[in-house]
Amino acid sequence: MNNNTFIVLAQNAVLLLSLAFLFNLLFEQWKIRRGWLWQLATGALIGGIGCVVMQTPWSFGQGVVFDLRSVLLSIAGLFFGAIPTVVAMAMTAALRWVQGGAVITGISVILASGILGIVWRFLRRHPLDELSLKALYGFGVVVHLVMLLLMFTLPLNQALKVLSEISIPVMLIYPLATLLLGALLTNHLKRQRVSMELQDSEERLRLSLASARQGIYDLNVKTGEARVSPEYATMLGYDPSDFRETNAAWMERLHPDDHAKVAQIFRDYIAGKLPEYRVEFRQRTLSGDWIWILSLGKLVERDAQGQPLRMVGTHTDISEQKRALEQARTAMLDTRRLLETSDQSRLALLSLMEDANETRATLEATNRQLVNEIENRGKAEQNLGKSEKRFQLLIEKSTIGMYVLRGSHFIYLNPRMEELLGRRLDEVAGAHLNSILMADDPQAAGIDQSHTTRTGKARAFNAHAKNPDGTLMQLGIHEIAVEFEGEPAIIGMAQDIGERSRAQSEINRYLLQLETSTEKTLQALSIMVEQRDPYTAGHERRVGDFSADIAAEMGLPEKQVKGIRLAGYVHDIGKISVPAEILSKPRRLSDIEFQIIKEHPQAGYDIIKDIDFPWPLAEIIRQHHERMDGSGYPRGLSGESILLEARILAVADTIEAMTSHRPYRPGLGIEAALNEISRGAGKQYDPDVVNACTQLFRDKGYTLPA
């Protein structure tokens, strides 16, 4: 080995790398699609570079030459694949054949180098742009150890002489040249990937801003000048190409009623009284219409005295959310009016029942008084006229129907009873009770009146009177045994209770209408969210039904179970403020995107907090991502400070999300989901809720709602 060997091989390496840089620059400019034509052209270019490299070899004598074609072909196989490498191998092998000498050895090196590169490309576990310098150097070492072993295709004495002379220079220079050329192409691929990711990120941001009707601003607080995104101008109806934003122009477009509020919030934020700049206001568009804007901002630069210099943030058009909220409030006002009407009906019914009870008590007292007077008739003849007059006054003018039975047959009806039956006394005299009245209770029907007479006990039952026109009137009957004209008899009192039944039916109808109106309002809100994120369509409904089933398993009251179901139907309503592009992103969210997602419980609370529900729906929605150990959001609540309904919703939401398919992953299955909540019992999830949930699945064969 001598210095000339190193010099020639080093010149070879410099030439190869120079040609590789030229190839890299040409490759950057090519616009041809990467089909078979591109692969053939690439192979021809690599082969041409190899032929140039082979023009300055180090010659050992007797036709044995060394150049860097092994470096070029192995790297070609690794980075460009089979077709370009085979073309380059064919071109360099043809030239080596023409050069003569140790042709078999030279062509063997060409074939081995290219094949090793192709095989290494096939077996690699990571993308090419992630190849480390260590891996590239190791690859170069393997290729050129194989090249040195191929020297034994020469006669043994010649092979040993060649190896003793060339081994050290080859193993010092060739792997290093492989490393440098591979690193050059790896960096080229990295630049390509970063460029594509940047373009993709910019396009997603543009689509996200456009779909969410959201614009970005960068305000110079001192000068009032602002740079804005095209979406910002479009939101206001302006042409982005000639729109220029300033603080003065923005104030001119601001609704007069919002000036004081916006100014106060900005002052409080600058003074550090508010953790973030967040305000809603109205802006006038180019057409003169007013739209609602949610503005978020953050100071990113202050001067040496702490005065604000630069502020960046977003403007989001929330007009649709405002309209939806107003519709929901209108629906709830209608619902409240129905409830007030229902309360009035209920009070009327209670008044009617109280009047009936008072009348019944009066009649019972009168009956007792009449019985006493009848029993003492022989002893009080002097009071007979007075008693009869009182009897006639009370009975004939009573608003309660009264009758007298003897042996289950009518012998007397007062005027009110004739009115109730639609018959006069002479039409029913002697008629059996059961031919006129049909008892609603089968046990009361057909009871021998002698039973009441014999035992002396009063009885009460409901019955229907058969009117002559075929209609039925519902009556409440109260009977008691007495002595009438010296013989056992039954005095009965009857009251029309149809009005009470109709009042109760009306109350039930109002209550049903109220419940239906409430549920439809919440369903409408849920549908609004699903339209923003079609990949999770049905998620809220399934979580609501599943949460209610868990609550029922825990033995909660029916009213509370219903509130949990309805809260589940709208628990993600706050996602209406999240850009649709983020909701449907098919890969892992960035930190900023996840922070935006984490705003949805608070946003959902803000949307329905002013609506008066019979259940704490707004607070349940705000707390459904809180966790027992305080690791949740948005307020970091823990333990019993989290509503039980929200703790149930958290478990149901987790199970449903893990078992459902998403664009970025398939469903994980119910066992994986149950294991997850079991591991988190007592830490993230309420252990009682977890226990009820696992019992449903493992002990009762429960399946998730479809």
Side-chain angles (χ1 to χ4, degrees):
M1 181 181 70
N2 53 53
N3 292 335
N4 185 54
T5 302
F6 278 102
I7 292 172
V8 173
L9 292 179
Q11 288 176 342
N12 243 244
V14 171
L15 177 60
L16 176 62
L17 292 174
S18 299
L19 291 172
F21 274 110
L22 175 62
F23 168 74
N24 189 46
L25 292 174
L26 291 173
F27 180 70
E28 288 278 3
Q29 303 299 321
W30 275 29
K31 303 297 183 183
I32 303 176
R33 292 180 56 137
R34 298 189 178 186
W36 63 270
L37 181 61
W38 179 88
Q39 295 190 62
L40 291 177
T42 300
L45 183 57
I46 296 172
I49 293 174
C51 291
V52 173
V53 169
M54 291 170 64
Q55 300 305 313
T56 58
W58 174 72
S59 179
F60 186 76
Q62 300 178 350
V64 178
V65 295
F66 289 88
D67 49 53
L68 293 183
R69 62 183 181 274
S70 57
V71 174
L72 178 67
L73 293 173
S74 61
I75 288 295
L78 179 60
F79 282 88
F80 295 97
I83 294 178
T85 306
V86 169
V87 172
M89 288 163 58
M91 293 175 63
T92 52
L95 178 60
R96 186 67 188 86
W97 181 273
V98 172
Q99 287 177 339
V103 174
I104 300 300
T105 302
I107 293 177
S108 298
V109 170
I110 290 172
L111 295 176
S113 301
I115 291 171
L116 281 172
I118 294 170
V119 171
W120 207 289
R121 174 187 177 91
F122 178 75
L123 296 178
R124 78 188 189 284
R125 296 182 180 180
H126 303 288
L128 289 171
D129 59 0
E130 295 182 5
L131 283 174
S132 65
L133 297 179
K134 181 179 179 181
L136 286 169
Y137 187 80
F139 172 67
V141 170
V142 171
V143 170
H144 293 98
L145 282 175
V146 172
M147 184 190 78
L148 293 177
L149 290 175
L150 289 174
M151 294 301 105
F152 285 104
T153 57
L154 298 170
L156 183 59
N157 290 336
Q158 186 180 8
L160 294 175
K161 185 176 181 182
V162 169
L163 289 173
S164 64
E165 182 72 22
I166 199 68
S167 295
I168 293 177
V170 164
M171 295 311 294
L172 288 176
I173 295 175
Y174 280 40
L176 182 60
T178 303
L179 168 65
L180 294 175
L181 183 57
L184 178 67
L185 296 179
T186 298
N187 289 333
H188 169 73
L189 292 175
K190 286 181 179 179
R191 290 196 304 273
Q192 274 190 328
R193 177 172 59 82
V194 171
S195 176
M196 291 176 63
E197 288 180 351
L198 180 60
Q199 292 176 1
D200 183 54
S201 177
E202 291 175 348
E203 180 64 14
R204 284 192 288 107
L205 178 59
R206 186 189 67 78
L207 292 174
S208 176
L209 293 174
S211 64
R213 295 179 61 83
Q214 189 174 66
I216 297 175
Y217 66 86
D218 186 341
L219 173 67
N220 185 320
V221 181
K222 291 290 187 183
T223 66
E225 297 289 331
R227 291 183 297 168
V228 299
S229 66
E231 291 78 14
Y232 184 105
T234 303
M235 182 194 315
L236 297 170
Y238 291 89
D239 183 355
S241 62
D242 56 14
F243 180 75
R244 297 293 179 270
E245 180 67 303
T246 65
N247 190 56
W250 176 81
M251 290 292 291
E252 184 179 349
R253 293 193 308 270
L254 187 63
H255 195 284
D257 294 344
D258 296 334
H259 275 269
K261 176 183 67 174
V262 173
Q264 184 61 48
I265 290 177
F266 182 76
R267 287 194 297 269
D268 290 345
Y269 173 64
I270 295 299
K273 297 179 181 180
L274 295 176
E276 64 176 359
Y277 177 74
R278 179 188 182 99
V279 64
E280 296 178 3
F281 51 80
R282 285 159 288 184
Q283 281 266 294
R284 187 178 61 249
T285 65
L286 180 61
S287 63
D289 298 325
W290 294 101
I291 63 173
W292 275 98
I293 299 291
L294 169 63
S295 180
L296 302 177
K298 184 176 181 64
L299 283 173
V300 296
E301 188 176 350
R302 293 179 184 265
D303 61 16
Q305 289 72 39
Q307 295 301 311
L309 292 178
R310 184 175 168 223
M311 184 174 184
V312 298
T314 62
H315 278 183
T316 305
D317 183 353
I318 59 171
S319 301
E320 292 183 5
Q321 292 94 309
K322 285 288 186 180
R323 283 192 290 271
L325 179 59
E326 186 60 30
Q327 291 172 358
R329 286 175 175 168
T330 301
M332 286 309 302
L333 287 175
D334 293 340
T335 300
R336 187 173 295 172
R337 282 194 291 271
L338 286 174
L339 181 58
E340 290 173 353
T341 304
S342 174
D343 288 340
Q344 292 171 0
S345 298
R346 185 181 294 109
L347 290 173
L349 175 59
L350 291 174
S351 177
L352 179 62
M353 294 177 67
E354 289 174 357
D355 291 344
N357 289 333
E358 290 176 0
T359 303
R360 177 173 296 174
T362 301
L363 289 174
E364 288 179 351
T366 301
N367 282 340
R368 288 193 294 270
Q369 184 177 356
L370 289 172
V371 168
N372 290 331
E373 290 180 354
I374 292 172
E375 289 178 347
N376 295 302
R377 182 176 53 181
K379 300 178 181 179
E381 285 289 337
Q382 66 275 18
N383 295 323
L384 180 58
K386 186 177 179 180
S387 296
E388 288 178 350
K389 186 175 181 180
R390 186 182 297 117
F391 176 84
Q392 182 179 6
L393 178 63
L394 292 173
I395 300 302
E396 300 297 329
K397 302 299 182 181
S398 175
T399 59
I400 301 297
M402 300 189 68
Y403 59 87
V404 179
L405 300 173
R406 181 172 287 130
S408 298
H409 296 276
F410 288 100
I411 62 172
Y412 172 78
L413 299 178
N414 75 342
R416 176 56 177 164
M417 192 65 189
E418 289 180 335
E419 181 184 344
L420 293 176
L421 297 180
R423 297 178 176 88
R424 295 190 305 276
L425 176 60
D426 57 1
E427 295 179 81
V428 299
H432 194 281
L433 172 69
N434 292 338
S435 66
I436 304 298
L437 299 178
M438 296 182 296
D440 293 348
D441 183 358
Q443 294 182 352
I447 292 180
D448 187 351
Q449 301 298 315
S450 63
H451 173 76
T452 303
T453 304
R454 183 176 64 254
T455 61
K457 293 182 179 180
R459 71 166 185 165
F461 59 93
N462 293 338
H464 282 82
K466 303 176 184 177
N467 290 323
D469 60 0
T471 61
L472 296 177
M473 176 177 291
Q474 191 175 12
L475 300 176
I477 306 295
H478 186 85
E479 294 182 341
I480 189 169
V482 297
E483 287 285 336
F484 185 74
E485 296 179 348
E487 296 183 21
I490 299 293
I491 291 182
M493 293 166 288
Q495 185 178 9
D496 182 2
I497 61 172
E499 294 181 3
R500 182 174 62 188
S501 298
R502 287 189 293 274
Q504 183 61 51
S505 298
E506 187 68 10
I507 290 173
N508 292 338
R509 186 179 70 82
Y510 281 139
L511 291 176
L512 179 60
Q513 188 174 358
L514 173 63
E515 292 179 359
T516 302
S517 176
T518 300
E519 291 186 14
K520 287 185 177 179
T521 299
L522 296 177
Q523 288 171 3
L525 295 175
S526 178
I527 290 172
M528 289 169 56
V529 179
E530 290 187 1
Q531 289 176 345
R532 299 267 296 150
D533 184 10
Y535 292 110
T536 59
H539 167 72
E540 290 192 297
R541 175 182 53 77
R542 291 191 293 271
V543 169
D545 293 340
F546 183 25
S547 300
D549 293 338
I550 295 176
E553 176 68 15
M554 295 175 68
L556 299 185
E558 182 178 351
K559 181 179 179 181
Q560 191 174 11
V561 171
K562 186 165 188 175
I564 292 172
R565 184 189 306 277
L566 295 179
Y569 285 172
V570 291
H571 73 278
D572 277 340
I573 188 175
K575 287 186 178 178
I576 198 170
S577 65
V578 177
E581 181 67 17
I582 295 177
L583 293 176
S584 58
K585 183 176 180 181
R587 59 174 67 91
R588 183 181 181 88
L589 297 177
S590 67
D591 291 342
I592 294 177
E593 290 168 332
F594 185 60
Q595 287 299 321
I596 294 175
I597 286 287
K598 288 171 67 175
E599 292 288 332
H600 82 271
Q602 181 65 42
Y605 171 82
D606 292 338
I607 288 173
I608 69 169
K609 66 182 180 181
D610 296 326
I611 302 176
D612 187 13
F613 289 106
W615 310 276
L617 297 190
E619 198 58 48
I620 296 172
I621 290 170
R622 181 158 62 169
Q623 295 182 17
H624 79 275
H625 275 294
E626 302 287 1
R627 295 296 181 258
M628 296 293 288
D629 57 2
S631 63
Y633 58 86
R635 295 187 292 165
L637 302 180
S638 62
E640 296 296 324
S641 61
I642 306 172
L643 292 177
L644 175 59
E645 293 91 336
R647 285 178 262 155
I648 293 173
L649 202 60
V651 170
D653 192 22
T654 300
I655 292 287
E656 202 287 330
M658 291 185 66
T659 57
S660 297
H661 292 283
R662 292 290 183 267
Y664 49 85
R665 62 150 176 82
L668 303 178
I670 189 61
E671 283 302 321
L674 292 176
N675 290 338
E676 172 66 21
I677 64 168
S678 295
R679 284 194 297 270
K683 299 175 183 177
Q684 295 174 299
Y685 308 108
D686 187 317
D688 293 335
V689 178
V690 172
N691 184 53
C693 177
T694 54
Q695 282 182 347
L696 278 175
F697 284 98
R698 292 177 173 157
D699 297 344
K700 298 185 178 181
Y702 180 80
T703 56
L704 286 172

